[in-house]
């Protein structure tokens, strides 16, 4: 079956920066909905018409991936508002951040603790890969029709580079 809109693809990948450093490697196939919210637009476009067994290599500029770095998403906040146990690299959902922070800090999105000082914490609302050009080697491990539930929810259950604990800087991008 060829990849088209509204199908599910099982992908493996190796993600590198332009210096060739590995940023993330996914050896076991993970399913993503094409035509939903799981994949970047440029990746979806490149996958069209491919079949299981194909390998693609993509170069993504920041604007095609996770955007340019935005210094308006850096916030200096009082250390006392945060839990005692706090480490650089920890992530917080904006909605779960403590009360009393800067009123201009958007409550949607994910924030990473960039630095910790005795009196202040630096929060970064940029995606960890913002401002970085990426090289992505994709392996198509399988293609199937999407279910009605997957089409309705816009996902096969995994977003593209959702942040979860465990990878570089305490985060795993998958």
């Amino acid at each position: 079956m060829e990849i088209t809109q509204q199908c599910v693809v099982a992908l493996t990948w190796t993600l590198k920066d332009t210096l060739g450093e590995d940023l993330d490697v996914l050896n076991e196939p993970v399913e993503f909905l094409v035509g939903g919210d799981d994949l970047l637009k440029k990746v979806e476009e490149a996958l069209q018409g491919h079949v299981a067994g194909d390998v693609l290599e993509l170069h993504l500029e920041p604007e095609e991936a996770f955007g340019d770095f935005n210094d308006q998403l850096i916030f200096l906040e009082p250390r006392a508002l945060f839990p005692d146990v706090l480490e650089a690299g920890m992530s917080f959902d904006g909605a779960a951040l403590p009360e009393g922070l800067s009123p201009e800090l958007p409550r949607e999105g994910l924030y990473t603790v960039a630095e910790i000082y005795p009196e202040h914490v630096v929060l970064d609302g940029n995606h960890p890969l913002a401002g970085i050009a990426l090289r992505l080697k994709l392996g198509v491990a399988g293609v199937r029709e999407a279910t009605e539930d997957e089409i309705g929810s816009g996902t096969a259950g995994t977003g593209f580079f959702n942040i979860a604990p465990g990878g570089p800087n305490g985060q795993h991008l998958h």
Side-chain angles (χ1 to χ4, degrees), residues 58-80:
L58 304 176
H59 178 87
L60 303 173
E61 289 298 324
E63 60 272 13
E64 297 167 323
F66 299 100
D68 289 318
F69 188 83
N70 181 354
D71 60 10
Q72 299 296 306
L73 292 175
I74 304 293
F75 297 91
L76 188 64
E77 301 298 334
R79 171 66 181 96

Side-chain angles (χ1 to χ4, degrees), residues 20-160:
E21 294 289 321
D22 283 358
L23 299 174
D24 194 54
V25 177
L26 182 64
N27 290 318
E28 293 299 317
V30 173
E31 289 191 331
F32 300 92
L33 176 67
V34 176
D37 302 323
D38 288 350
L39 294 166
L40 297 168
K41 187 172 188 285
K42 175 101 177 199
V43 173
E44 285 199 352
E45 289 170 1
L47 285 169
Q48 297 297 310
H50 284 278
V51 296
D54 286 357
V55 175
L56 295 79
E57 296 205 23
L58 304 176
H59 178 87
L60 303 173
E61 289 298 324
E63 60 272 13
E64 297 167 323
F66 299 100
D68 289 318
F69 188 83
N70 181 354
D71 60 10
Q72 299 296 306
L73 292 175
I74 304 293
F75 297 91
L76 188 64
E77 301 298 334
R79 171 66 181 96
L81 296 176
F82 289 86
D84 291 342
V85 178
L86 192 68
E87 296 176 16
M90 290 176 84
S91 295
F92 291 90
D93 187 288
L97 286 169
E99 291 300 317
L101 301 181
S102 303
E104 65 274 9
L105 185 145
R107 288 298 181 150
E108 59 280 342
L110 197 64
Y111 291 87
T112 302
V113 176
E115 297 181 59
I116 303 171
Y117 297 102
E119 300 296 320
H120 294 94
V121 172
V122 179
L123 292 180
D124 184 353
N126 287 285
H127 189 286
L129 298 178
I132 299 175
L134 304 172
R135 292 182 182 157
L136 183 61
K137 182 177 181 179
L138 289 171
V140 181
V143 185
R144 67 171 174 81
E145 290 184 22
T147 66
E148 285 187 27
D149 285 348
E150 289 166 336
I151 294 169
S153 65
T155 181
T158 312
F160 190 76

